[in-house]
Amino acid sequence: QEQVSFGKFKALLGLRQEYYRIPKEDTNIKKFNKEDLQSYLLPRVGLIYSVLPNINIYGNYSEGYEPQGATSNLNPNAGGPFDPLIGKLMEVGAKGEFFGRGLFAGLSVYEITQNNILVSANNPAQPELLEQRGQERARGVEFETAGQLLPNLSVNVTYAYNDAQITESNNELLIGLEKENAPLHNSSSWVKYTFNKGKLAGLGVAIGHSQNSVRRTFATYPNEPTRYLMLPTYVVFNSAIFHSVDKFRLAININNLTDEKWFAGGYNFERNFPGAPRNYLLSFGYTF
């Protein structure tokens, strides 16, 4: 890997060779049609242009390789061994620092493709059986800002538009459907203010949120891709009150302020994961 600079440009060039070998003493190795050695050549290219001292625009392209986990490769009930996960990323964007370089902001547009994704085969008679999906593609826009607006006011705000779809599959009925558990819209925030003068000096308050739009779960049966559950959209608000005196700090966090009923994720009609209801956390700290 090498980084070079010329004028207002910086370029990053890299090449990586990956090798992965499954032990030959594994009896499952006979399921491979070819030799047990997996390998992949990974290029990486990035370019940055400095528009202003505090603002850069950039673009990059990279590829990824990851062998499937030993649990899925060696489990005789999973149907493996499986081909490795292969990914490609293309991204362009801009990043900047503001308010005396105290606040960072970034905006990017991207496309990510992944091949050989392991998913459940949806076989009721063999619940551990897996299969490899041909390809998934995500295209989207991300925005992030974090840092100090004032010495006693900090913010962290993120938003992502992520259009993730199944683009290749042995089951043609799945092609064009959105990827499971991938919301189209996702956002979060955390704003913290600390009083630094008067009788309230040392007292601080914070509030924020996390949000997801609707998400599709996995199809219940492979030949009926319309039989899936849509997890509803949610917005969960969190807050905190804290007070610091010398080396002591007392804080109370209230999570899920409105006691929203929400789902952290899910697989299908039978397997879903409810999010935590309203809860409280009291903490006390001392800095040595």
Side-chain angles (χ1 to χ4, degrees), residues 40 42 62-65 85-89 112-115:
Y40 204 81
L42 304 172
S62 61
E63 297 186 10
Y65 161 92
L85 183 68
I86 304 297
K88 295 182 180 180
L89 165 68
I112 301 171
T113 59
Q114 286 191 318
N115 296 74

Side-chain angles (χ1 to χ4, degrees), residues 239-256:
S239 65
I241 301 175
F242 53 91
H243 189 56
S244 300
V245 178
D246 295 329
K247 295 184 178 183
F248 296 90
R249 179 185 173 92
L250 181 67
I252 181 169
N253 289 68
I254 307 174
N255 300 311
N256 196 355

Side-chain angles (χ1 to χ4, degrees), residues 28 31 72-73 75-82 126 128-131:
N28 243 15
K31 294 186 179 181
S72 56
N73 261 338
N75 180 2
N77 298 320
F82 299 100
Q126 297 175 276
E128 295 182 71
L129 186 64
L130 301 174
E131 64 180 14

Side-chain angles (χ1 to χ4, degrees), residues 4-53:
V4 295
S5 300
F6 44 99
K8 292 188 175 183
F9 288 92
K10 291 183 179 179
L12 179 68
L13 305 173
L15 201 61
R16 179 184 178 95
Q17 176 68 52
E18 289 272 3
Y19 296 96
Y20 178 73
R21 184 182 296 277
I22 295 179
K24 290 187 176 181
E25 59 268 20
D26 172 30
T27 56
N28 243 15
I29 198 63
K30 63 184 180 182
K31 294 186 179 181
F32 274 115
N33 293 325
K34 299 181 180 180
E35 62 181 14
D36 58 329
L37 178 65
Q38 297 178 358
S39 65
Y40 204 81
L41 186 64
L42 304 172
R44 183 182 183 188
V45 180
L47 184 66
I48 299 174
Y49 175 72
S50 180
V51 180
L52 295 171

Side-chain angles (χ1 to χ4, degrees), residues 49-250:
Y49 175 72
S50 180
V51 180
L52 295 171
N54 63 320
I55 299 178
N56 296 323
I57 59 175
Y58 69 92
N60 67 67
Y61 172 85
S62 61
E63 297 186 10
Y65 161 92
E66 182 179 353
Q68 304 291 353
T71 301
S72 56
N73 261 338
L74 304 182
N75 180 2
N77 298 320
F82 299 100
D83 292 330
L85 183 68
I86 304 297
K88 295 182 180 180
L89 165 68
M90 293 183 290
E91 180 182 11
V92 294
K95 296 182 179 182
E97 295 176 315
F98 309 93
F99 293 92
R101 298 188 179 272
L103 183 71
F104 161 83
L107 178 68
S108 65
V109 179
Y110 63 86
E111 177 180 281
I112 301 171
T113 59
Q114 286 191 318
N115 296 74
N116 304 325
I117 304 97
L118 276 184
V119 296
S120 171
N122 277 336
N123 187 335
Q126 297 175 276
E128 295 182 71
L129 186 64
L130 301 174
E131 64 180 14
Q132 292 197 283
R133 178 175 294 166
Q135 187 182 85
E136 296 173 350
R137 183 194 66 207
R139 291 172 173 169
V141 179
E142 287 186 334
F143 170 77
E144 177 185 6
T145 182
Q148 300 287 135
L149 287 175
L150 298 171
N152 60 333
L153 175 63
S154 65
V155 298
N156 191 321
V157 179
T158 66
Y159 168 76
Y161 171 85
N162 183 51
D163 182 13
Q165 296 183 3
I166 299 170
T167 49
E168 294 180 12
S169 173
N170 292 330
N171 186 344
E172 294 184 357
L173 297 176
L174 293 175
I175 297 175
L177 290 180
E178 63 187 86
K179 175 179 168 59
E180 300 87 354
N181 284 302
L184 189 63
H185 302 278
N186 170 273
S187 66
S188 66
S189 67
W190 189 248
V191 181
K192 183 172 67 175
Y193 180 84
T194 305
F195 294 92
N196 55 8
K197 294 181 181 179
K199 294 182 179 180
L200 296 179
L203 179 67
V205 294
I207 190 166
H209 85 287
S210 60
Q211 171 269 334
N212 270 325
S213 59
V214 294
R215 292 159 290 159
R216 185 177 76 84
T217 60
F218 289 83
T220 303
Y221 300 101
N223 294 322
E224 299 182 63
T226 57
R227 291 193 63 183
Y228 53 80
L229 177 67
M230 294 297 287
L231 301 179
T233 186
Y234 70 82
V235 181
V236 173
F237 292 97
N238 306 304
S239 65
I241 301 175
F242 53 91
H243 189 56
S244 300
V245 178
D246 295 329
K247 295 184 178 183
F248 296 90
R249 179 185 173 92
L250 181 67

